[in-house]
Each structure stands twice: as C-alpha cells, then as structure tokens.
Amino acid sequence: MAAIPYSVLAVGWIPFLVVVALVVLFTIFYVRYYRFKKESETGTTVTAVLALTVTLLAVALVPVDIFLVSYMKYPNGTFKEWASNNETREAVGDMMLYSYYSMYLLEIVFMFLVLPFMYFYYEEYDEDSTFRSRICGALKYTIVFVIIGGVLLLIGAFIPTQAAPSHNETEWQKLQDLFEGLGTNHGENALSFCINILTLIGMLLLVLYTGYGMNALPVDMIFGTRSAKDEIVEVQEDDDGIKSEIASIRTKYERSRTKNRTMSRRDRNRLSNLEQKEKLIKRRRRHLQKANNSWSNKCSVLWRPFEVILGIVLALLAVLIFLSLLLTSIDKLLHSLGPKTGYVLPQSTLPNPLDITLVYCQQVFPLDYIVMCLIVVYFVFASMCGLRKIGIWFFCLRMYKIRPHRTKAQGILFLCFILMFIILALNVMFYNTIPQYVMYGSQKYQVCISTVCNVRLTEIPECDW
C-alpha cells in the first residue's frame, strides 16, 4: 500500500487535533455547568465528558474527510502527483473509513455499556451499600443493554446486503456463503445496521428537542428573560401575602383562646403548608439577591445588545437551514431516481444556499471546518435549549429537569445519552442539508467536449451526484 505524504497528513489532521482539544474543554465546561455539585460523583462527570467528546469528534471527522478527498486534485480537475495512483487514494479512503468505524464503535460501547453501567451504579448508592454491591447491582441491569446491543449487531451481521444466491445452491451452500460474507465484510454490515437503528431513534429526538430548541433559543435571546430584580419584587409580594394569611389564622385563634377553642385540623394543615412556603420563598429570595449582586448580572446590561444581535443571527441561521433542507427535499422529490435508489439526485437543480457557502469555504481550509463546527455547536445548544424547556420524560412521567448547577447525576447521564442520539442523527441530516459539500467538497473533474486540430477541449465542472 502506498504511503500518504506526511505533509498531507499534517495539513489534514493538525486542525483536527486542535478541535479535539477545544471539544474536550467545551464538554468539561458544559457538564460542570449543568451538574449539581453536591450530588455529583467524579465517575459520572468523567463518563459524561468522554461520551460527549467521542460523539462530537465523530462529526468533526467529516471536514477532515472532505478536505483530504478534495486535496487530491488541482483546480483544473486533475489529480496531484502524490495522489496519481489508486493505491494512495485507497489508503486515504481506508484511513478515514477506519477512523469513522473506531468512533462509531466507541459510541456503541458508551451507549450500551458505559453510560447504562454508570447510571445504575449511581442509582445503587445507599448509606449501607458497599462498592462491591453497587458494582453487582449495576452489572445486573447493564447486561440487558449489552444483550440489546448484541442482538442488533447479530441482526445486522446476518441480514443479506448482496445479491441473493443462486436457486440451485443447497441450504448448506447458502449457509456457507452467509458465513463467508461475515468474514469478507469484517463486521461492517453489523456495525452499519446498529448505527442506522440508533440514528433512527436520534432522528425522532432531533425532531422533538432540536426542532423546539431552534425556535426557542433565538426567541429567548431576542426577548430576554426576567431580571433578578423583577423576580425579587414578585417574591416579596408573595411573601407578604403568605405572612398576612399566617397572621389571620393565628389572630383568629388568639382571640378565641379565652374560650378554650383549639385550632381545627384543617387550619393546622393550612398553617403548616403556609410556613413551609414561607421558608421556600425566603430561600429563593436569598438566591435572587445573591444573583442580583453578582458581577455577571451587572455585566448583563452591557451584554444585552449583543445578545439581541446574536439571537437575530441564530434565527436567520435556523431559517437558512430550513430553506436548505426544504430545497434539497423538493429537488429530490422532483428530479431524483426514485425511492428504490434512495432518492439519489443525478444532478442538483435547485440552489442550496448553505451548501454553496460551505463548498466555497472548503477552498480555504480550515474555514469550512470552523463553519461546520459552529453549525454543530449551534445544534448542540438548540438541543440543550429544547431539553431544558421540555425536560426528560418517560411517556407521561417527568424524570429529570435540566437546570444549570442543579441537574442530578442521573439527569446528566441521561442528557449525554440523548445528545449522543441527536448528534448521530446530525450526520444523516447533513447529507440532506448540505449534500454537495458532504459528498464531494470543492472537487472538479475534466470532461472531454471535442477534439479540434489534435487539441483536446475540456470542460471542468464541479463534482455532483
């Protein structure tokens, strides 16, 4: 196999290493921002950071893949010297293929083993529990997820993806062909099937949480939230109302004390509830006063104009993504080869603004890398906004609330679990939102038009479907 030049590897992978460092810092800050410090454990925090890091890096491989493929050619559509033979091009393709499979395999391990184990390990915590009992209890429930993952891999391994065998073959020969196929594809079918099932689940979560967050995030930034000062006034009014109710109940029985009248059971319960509410309101008022006196609240006045501008930009980005997805879907509906081919487009007809932008940015690497990472971060923040607004539900039962510095350890693990599904679904959505960029980048190829006086006239169009 031909060796890939080190200069090509450096140009392609050094930006990826920078992204790795930024992703690790981002996930550490993200998890620490939402976790409840008093109830968190180091194991759950580290697991959540690693799970999110692996998932985000799987998406970050896409610009590297696109750059390395586009970097093989000159602007006139001919291959560069280092990529002139098929062996070198196959080496680049195999390198990226194994990188994808490594990341996806790690995601499967986290989804079916690591995250469930850490969730149940934390659930097994008790004052009388030991380390061994928690490990055994967590393994008992985790084995169910391992079995589900194993069943999905087995189904993917045995589903035939090639042409049906000849009808003249015996049943033993058909079975032998099946096992030979397992050896030739090296488990790729099993892994692809499992990833496709997880992506389908992620697409449903993306529609629910990310779709809601793409609308709620810019709206919240444009119209803003209530200030701590206004909330303090409202809390003070509620406190005054509760105090007046408590005073009226006590005054009612103080006047009738000379008649030996005791407090009724109904009033005792009501008084107890009011006193409990009064304690909660006092605690909330202390938190609001602390937030009102903080530097971040004082700087919010300066940040507010930029927040409005950023909200408008995010709203326009949401509209741009919607238009790109809509135009691609209409183009496939009208001009594709039909459902049997997966609605493959022979040639793009309708303009896709986001796709065109990324294709031109790809010519100035790593500009497209930066834009792509910003789009992924936008989807993550939109998903988080949806999760924060909706919460984590199991049918009609609300399991966890996602709040900054107040989210339980189980909620953090569930949050990472859902985000892993959503980010997996983003890979599929990118193929429909920015198909030209994801498939070919800025590649061009030569087409011979005619030969005049022994001079070959060529056209250099961009690669298309």
Side-chain angles (χ1 to χ4, degrees):
M1 184 178 290
I4 305 172
Y6 291 112
S7 59
V8 177
L9 295 176
V11 174
W13 287 103
I14 287 178
F16 180 78
L17 296 177
V18 175
V19 170
V20 170
L22 294 176
V23 165
V24 171
L25 294 175
F26 172 76
T27 52
I28 291 174
F29 168 77
Y30 208 74
V31 173
R32 290 176 63 88
Y33 177 72
Y34 279 97
R35 70 169 184 169
F36 188 25
K37 190 174 182 180
K38 293 182 180 179
E39 295 186 7
S40 65
E41 288 188 356
T42 304
T44 57
T45 303
V46 172
T47 302
V49 169
L50 291 177
L52 280 181
T53 300
V54 168
T55 310
L56 290 171
L57 290 182
V59 182
L61 281 174
V62 175
V64 177
D65 186 9
I66 296 166
F67 167 76
L68 289 176
V69 173
S70 300
Y71 195 65
M72 294 180 185
K73 290 187 175 183
Y74 288 112
N76 62 2
T78 59
F79 283 104
K80 295 181 179 179
E81 289 77 11
W82 66 269
S84 57
N85 59 76
N86 289 329
E87 291 184 356
T88 305
R89 297 197 291 270
E90 288 178 1
V92 173
D94 291 340
M95 178 182 63
M96 294 309 306
L97 181 65
Y98 293 137
S99 300
Y100 281 121
Y101 281 152
S102 301
M103 288 299 174
Y104 287 141
L105 188 59
L106 283 175
E107 289 189 40
I108 290 175
V109 170
F110 271 98
M111 286 183 171
F112 290 106
L113 180 61
V114 180
L115 284 177
F117 175 80
M118 291 306 302
Y119 178 84
F120 292 115
Y121 177 79
Y122 191 86
E123 283 286 331
E124 291 292 318
Y125 175 76
D126 194 6
E127 294 180 357
D128 300 327
S129 63
T130 62
F131 177 75
R132 183 177 179 181
S133 64
R134 293 179 71 183
I135 291 287
C136 293
L139 287 174
K140 180 174 62 176
Y141 296 107
T142 305
I143 196 68
V144 178
F145 288 85
V146 175
I147 292 173
I148 294 173
V151 169
L152 290 176
L153 290 173
L154 284 175
I155 293 174
F158 286 98
I159 286 180
T161 57
Q162 298 178 354
S166 174
H167 295 287
N168 296 327
E169 289 186 351
T170 63
E171 295 298 327
W172 173 254
Q173 288 175 330
K174 292 179 181 179
L175 186 62
Q176 189 177 7
D177 291 339
L178 180 61
F179 281 98
E180 287 178 358
L182 291 177
T184 55
N185 61 46
H186 305 290
E188 294 178 7
N189 293 343
L191 185 61
S192 299
F193 178 80
C194 188
I195 290 295
N196 288 335
I197 295 297
L198 299 178
T199 302
L200 179 62
I201 299 172
M203 190 61 69
L204 299 176
L205 295 173
L206 185 141
V207 171
L208 175 63
Y209 290 112
T210 312
Y212 183 87
M214 289 177 68
N215 291 279
L217 181 62
V219 170
D220 288 346
M221 298 185 74
I222 293 172
F223 293 99
T225 56
R226 298 177 62 188
S227 63
K229 194 172 183 180
D230 294 336
E231 291 191 38
I232 290 174
V233 174
E234 183 180 345
V235 167
Q236 185 62 44
E237 292 176 355
D238 294 339
D239 190 26
D240 294 339
I242 289 174
K243 284 182 178 179
S244 63
E245 290 186 45
I246 293 174
S248 64
I249 293 174
R250 289 176 175 171
T251 304
K252 173 182 176 182
Y253 288 96
E254 284 177 357
R255 292 177 181 175
S256 58
R257 185 177 297 176
T258 56
K259 299 179 182 180
N260 296 325
R261 183 182 175 186
T262 59
M263 187 178 296
S264 65
R265 183 177 179 180
R266 178 183 176 185
D267 285 340
R268 280 201 306 271
N269 292 335
R270 186 183 174 196
L271 182 63
S272 177
N273 292 333
L274 289 173
E275 289 175 346
Q276 187 67 25
K277 286 182 180 179
E278 185 182 19
K279 291 180 182 178
L280 293 173
I281 286 177
K282 287 181 179 178
R283 187 173 67 179
R284 186 185 175 196
R285 183 169 57 188
R286 286 197 302 270
H287 289 308
L288 288 173
Q289 287 174 347
K290 184 179 179 180
N292 188 44
N293 296 328
S294 64
W295 282 102
S296 60
N297 184 67
K298 294 176 181 178
C299 294
S300 63
V301 179
L302 301 174
W303 161 249
R304 181 64 189 145
F306 299 100
E307 186 180 19
V308 174
I309 295 172
L310 183 59
I312 295 173
V313 171
L314 293 181
L316 294 175
L317 179 59
V319 173
L320 181 63
I321 293 172
F322 169 75
L323 287 176
S324 299
L325 190 59
L326 179 64
L327 289 170
T328 302
S329 300
I330 293 174
D331 202 4
K332 287 186 176 183
L333 184 64
L334 297 177
H335 307 108
S336 70
L337 299 179
K340 291 184 178 180
T341 61
Y343 294 96
V344 172
L345 276 172
Q347 185 176 1
S348 298
T349 305
L350 300 179
N352 186 327
L354 188 60
D355 199 10
I356 294 171
T357 302
L358 281 169
V359 168
Y360 279 104
C361 289
Q362 198 274 327
Q363 300 177 13
V364 189
F365 187 81
L367 182 59
D368 65 314
Y369 213 142
I370 297 172
V371 176
M372 188 76 171
C373 290
L374 290 176
I375 292 174
V376 173
V377 170
Y378 165 70
F379 276 115
V380 171
F381 276 105
S383 304
M384 275 305 309
C385 181
L387 282 162
R388 193 173 64 248
K389 296 280 186 180
I390 299 174
I392 299 175
W393 291 73
F394 182 75
F395 292 103
C396 298
L397 178 63
R398 188 170 197 170
M399 298 180 64
Y400 302 105
K401 292 181 179 179
I402 306 299
R403 296 174 294 175
H405 307 296
R406 303 292 295 174
T407 308
K408 296 182 178 180
Q410 302 98 313
I412 289 291
L413 292 174
F414 248 104
L415 169 68
C416 296
F417 203 61
I418 292 174
L419 283 177
M420 289 183 77
F421 279 108
I422 291 175
I423 294 172
L424 266 178
L426 284 180
N427 291 325
V428 175
M429 200 184 74
F430 285 150
Y431 278 101
N432 292 288
T433 309
I434 45 178
Q436 176 72 26
Y437 169 75
V438 172
M439 292 294 292
Y440 302 108
S442 60
Q443 289 186 81
K444 295 182 179 180
Y445 63 97
Q446 291 186 347
V447 178
C448 182
I449 302 175
S450 61
T451 303
V452 180
C453 298
N454 296 325
V455 178
R456 195 165 111 184
L457 304 178
T458 59
E459 185 184 10
I460 309 175
E462 292 185 348
C463 290
D464 212 330
W465 291 86

